[in-house]
Amino acid sequence: MFGVSTFCLHKLPLEKALEQISEFTDRIEVMDEGLHYLHSAEPLLSYNHHFSIHTPCRGTNIASLLEPIRRASVEVMAQCMKIAAEVNAGIVVHPGYFAWAEERDKACRQLERSIDDLTVLSTDLSVPFYIENMGNWEYFLLKVPDELPLIGNSLFALDVGHAHQMHCLDEFLEYPAAHYHLHDNCGDADSHMAVGDGSIDFSIVMNAVKKSGIEPIIEVEKFEDVQKSIDRLNAL
């Protein structure tokens, strides 16, 4: 079974996106931004589905050197966790970024503070959080496996497309992940193509996924690529 992210229908209202995706799967990841921003758990409560929530990342930065922004970003994650608790969901979190190369070490310390804050919230609300590796976006943290110590004992979300864009997918696959995002690209741009339309060897990816026992999330940009991806993954 594969889950599907609402990212593929981000131009539609969340209710319509949920209706269409529920025809494919009972596991849905809500891209909690734009038209799919969750003000409450209400849109999800009418479904007997398994949910995960990708927390807002455009406008938040849990590694910010500006302490009010870091705290506000953690508060956004906290609100998302509270919604997730109502539907027994986990949340996916971006690790944040720094504005100047000289500030990287300070940003890493800020990320550590935020992880500590999120760990307390996670325990209090019984909501797991997964920290996702980033693609080739300048100044973002956690782009390569050597940076995995930054997240300590936190659960890791492997974004296969991001890892391939950074040319280190094989190395990331050696690290145990607790959540997976599946999409393809040609190693240059974070294009979120259908599985099989890029240059990722998904047979290797699926070996790791199957060993983990985790149901991965298909995170493609186009809705028509969901079924195409499912068919190709099932054929492996």
Side-chain angles (χ1 to χ4, degrees):
M1 177 64 71
F2 301 98
V4 177
S5 168
T6 66
F7 174 60
C8 63
L9 291 171
H10 68 275
K11 294 182 180 180
L12 293 182
L14 178 58
E15 291 78 5
K16 291 186 177 180
L18 292 174
E19 287 177 10
Q20 292 193 43
I21 292 173
S22 64
E23 297 177 6
F24 287 91
T25 179
D26 65 357
R27 183 171 294 278
I28 300 175
E29 182 159 296
V30 177
M31 183 66 70
D32 190 13
E33 305 223 45
L35 295 180
H36 297 182
Y37 177 72
L38 290 167
H39 296 278
S40 72
E42 191 278 329
L44 312 181
L45 293 174
S46 59
Y47 289 86
N48 293 318
H49 286 54
H50 300 287
F51 287 102
S52 54
I53 301 174
H54 191 299
T55 59
C57 57
R58 301 186 184 190
T60 62
N61 180 10
I62 64 171
S64 177
L65 271 63
L66 301 173
E67 184 59 14
I69 291 177
R70 187 197 71 82
R71 289 198 306 267
S73 298
V74 170
E75 178 58 26
V76 171
M77 307 302 141
Q79 293 301 319
C80 194
M81 275 193 183
K82 291 174 184 176
I83 292 172
E86 294 189 52
V87 292
N88 196 30
I91 69 169
V92 180
V93 178
H94 279 195
Y97 56 92
F98 47 99
W100 301 90
E102 296 79 10
E103 296 178 336
R104 185 184 186 280
D105 289 345
K106 292 180 180 178
C108 291
R109 290 194 290 273
Q110 290 291 81
L111 172 60
E112 183 178 1
R113 293 182 67 185
S114 295
I115 289 175
D116 288 343
D117 293 341
L118 292 172
T119 299
V120 172
L121 292 165
S122 174
T123 300
D124 289 346
L125 296 169
S126 298
V127 172
F129 69 97
Y130 316 97
I131 302 181
E132 178 183 352
N133 61 298
M134 296 289 93
N136 192 21
W137 307 337
E138 193 172 14
Y139 298 138
F140 269 81
L141 297 169
L142 196 58
K143 296 195 292 186
V144 294
D146 286 349
E147 293 180 287
L148 281 167
L150 288 175
I151 68 172
N153 294 323
S154 299
L155 299 173
F156 174 52
L158 175 56
D159 187 296
V160 169
H162 291 170
H164 184 63
Q165 188 192 12
M166 292 300 300
H167 308 291
C168 54
L169 176 57
D170 289 346
E171 292 86 349
F172 265 125
L173 286 170
E174 295 176 2
Y175 188 86
H179 193 77
Y180 289 91
H181 286 163
L182 306 184
H183 53 97
D184 212 341
N185 62 61
C186 295
D188 49 1
D190 185 27
S191 45
H192 286 260
M193 298 160 63
V195 168
D197 282 359
S199 54
I200 296 176
D201 183 349
F202 274 93
S203 62
I204 297 174
V205 172
M206 290 309 297
N207 282 339
V209 172
K210 290 173 182 176
K211 287 180 182 178
S212 74
I214 294 164
E215 294 183 345
I217 303 296
I218 294 173
E219 195 183 64
V220 292
E221 185 174 18
K222 299 177 181 178
F223 182 65
E224 56 266 31
D225 287 342
V226 172
Q227 188 63 59
K228 185 189 298 185
S229 297
I230 292 173
D231 291 343
R232 290 172 175 175
L233 289 168
N234 281 331
L236 293 176

